[in-house]
Amino acid sequence: MNWRIFIIVFILTFGISLPAMMTLGDVHLIGNHQGYQPEQPLPFSHSLHAGQLALNCQYCHSAADESRHASVPSLSTCMNCHNLAKGNTEFAKANIAKIAAAYEKGEPVRWQRVHNLPDFVHFNHSAHVTKGVDCQTCHGNVPEMGVMRQNADLTMGWCVNCHRDQNTLGKGLAAPTDCDTCHH
Ligand code: HEC
Ligand code: HEC
Ligand code: HEC
Ligand code: HEC
Ligand code: HEC
């Protein structure tokens, strides 16, 4: 057994009552928070941008096919459109004005992180996206989400079951199931 895995097992043996405490306190610590939907500092809507406007996911999450992180876009990406699209309703005008003001001051928006795997797990977007696994397979029906939420449970079983399934589909894929791939 790899020593890092040993440490993980050690930590978990002594942290066994932690999950119970976490549900009581409703604290967002790590993974396993299916349905988690934090309030965001601005009402950014995927159902408007990826649904009605049908923007490609990678227009904004441009690193998804080349790096570990899909990345959240900076305000300059928003301003490509919001320089001109200033809003038709009072609600849209007020919120788009906030984006323009933040952009001019060079202040990033503090988006609340939705997904958060524990640090001892190694996940990589490009490894999946370049092998043709769709965003929606893991993130659910994003073009219908008004407010972003965590779709899958992000447990180890979720990862490993899909890896096993992929390998039996005869598509020539070899999704690893050895401990070291995800815990190194
Ligand atoms: C116009 C830009 C834009 C487009 C297009 C877009 N997104 Fe996003 N996405 C964002 C922004 C901004 C955030 C951070 C705010 C939030 O969570 O709503 C985000 C957040 C996310 C998150 C959560 C990140 C976290 O904190 O865990 C996921 C998952 C996601 N997007 C997936 C998608 C998928 C899948 C598509 C295509 C169907 C898509 N996005 C299209 C801008 C975009
Ligand atoms: C195989 C499942 C899977 C696929 C496919 C996938 N994601 Fe993710 N995504 C995850 C997981 C798991 C996390 C949490 C990663 C972490 O906490 O380190 C995540 C996190 C994110 C985040 C926030 C953190 C980051 O990595 O930037 C965004 C944004 C995101 N995904 C967008 C996308 C988009 C857009 C696509 C398609 C181009 C996509 N994802 C495809 C599983 C997936
Ligand atoms: C491809 C063009 C495009 C991009 C890129 C874009 N938007 Fe939009 N957005 C629109 C359009 C069009 C509307 C509808 C405006 C209206 O009401 O007239 C809109 C509306 C909005 C609204 C108003 C809310 C609502 O529900 O009406 C907000 C807030 C917003 N966008 C935030 C963002 C943010 C944040 C980004 C960057 C992460 C972004 N947009 C990127 C085109 C875009
Ligand atoms: C929907 C199916 C699916 C899910 C869910 C999934 N994976 Fe994968 N995973 C794949 C496929 C397909 C590959 C690529 C196999 C290949 O390259 O032949 C892959 C490859 C990988 C690789 C290998 C990367 C490399 O550099 O070779 C790692 C690491 C990985 N996945 C981690 C994870 C983790 C961690 C999770 C859960 C948080 C997860 N995966 C969830 C389908 C999935
Ligand atoms: C495809 C990716 C993947 C592989 C392969 C994998 N794990 Fe995990 N593992 C995860 C993820 C994701 C988590 C965190 C989510 C969770 O706790 O269920 C995790 C959590 C764990 C935990 C914490 C226990 C828990 O339930 O919270 C231990 C211990 C662990 N893994 C050991 C192993 C061992 C031993 C192997 C090899 C037999 C292995 N893992 C293979 C993805 C993987």
Side-chain angles (χ1 to χ4, degrees):
M1 193 186 266
N2 176 306
W3 64 270
R4 275 163 280 214
I5 306 278
F6 176 79
I7 290 173
I8 293 166
V9 174
F10 181 86
I11 291 168
L12 278 134
T13 316
F14 291 92
I16 227 93
S17 58
L18 207 60
M21 282 150 55
M22 276 153 51
T23 37
L24 277 179
D26 193 27
V27 182
H28 183 60
L29 281 183
I30 49 165
N32 286 19
H33 290 259
Q34 194 166 24
Y36 180 60
Q37 190 174 38
E39 202 182 306
Q40 297 294 345
L42 279 170
F44 176 77
S45 165
H46 279 84
S47 74
L48 174 63
H49 293 87
Q52 274 167 256
L53 298 176
L55 291 178
N56 190 294
C57 308
Q58 289 188 53
Y59 179 87
C60 290
H61 302 291
S62 54
D65 61 351
E66 53 197 36
S67 83
R68 180 174 175 171
H69 291 289
S71 80
V72 169
S74 69
L75 285 178
S76 67
T77 305
C78 314
M79 293 309 285
N80 288 344
C81 292
H82 288 298
N83 265 327
L84 295 170
K86 300 199 162 151
N88 292 320
T89 62
E90 287 309 312
F91 177 80
K93 278 183 194 145
N95 286 296
I96 292 167
K98 286 184 202 161
I99 295 169
Y103 177 70
E104 264 149 41
K105 281 193 223 147
E107 279 172 6
V109 178
R110 301 194 181 280
W111 303 113
Q112 293 299 306
R113 187 167 178 167
V114 182
H115 300 76
N116 199 0
L117 283 173
D119 288 343
F120 60 80
V121 181
H122 175 80
F123 178 80
N124 186 321
H125 272 89
S126 70
H128 294 88
V129 175
T130 56
K131 297 288 168 149
V133 186
D134 279 351
C135 314
Q136 270 89 328
T137 313
C138 298
H139 291 300
N141 198 352
V142 171
E144 283 189 350
M145 291 182 191
V147 179
M148 176 52 62
R149 66 172 177 277
Q150 182 179 317
N151 168 66
D153 63 14
L154 307 191
T155 56
M156 176 163 144
W158 176 68
C159 313
V160 173
N161 286 338
C162 180
H163 281 201
R164 282 208 197 96
D165 291 349
Q166 297 291 319
N167 298 339
T168 57
L169 292 175
K171 291 194 289 185
L173 292 173
T177 51
D178 55 297
C179 318
D180 244 21
T181 326
C182 303
H183 305 292
H184 62 171

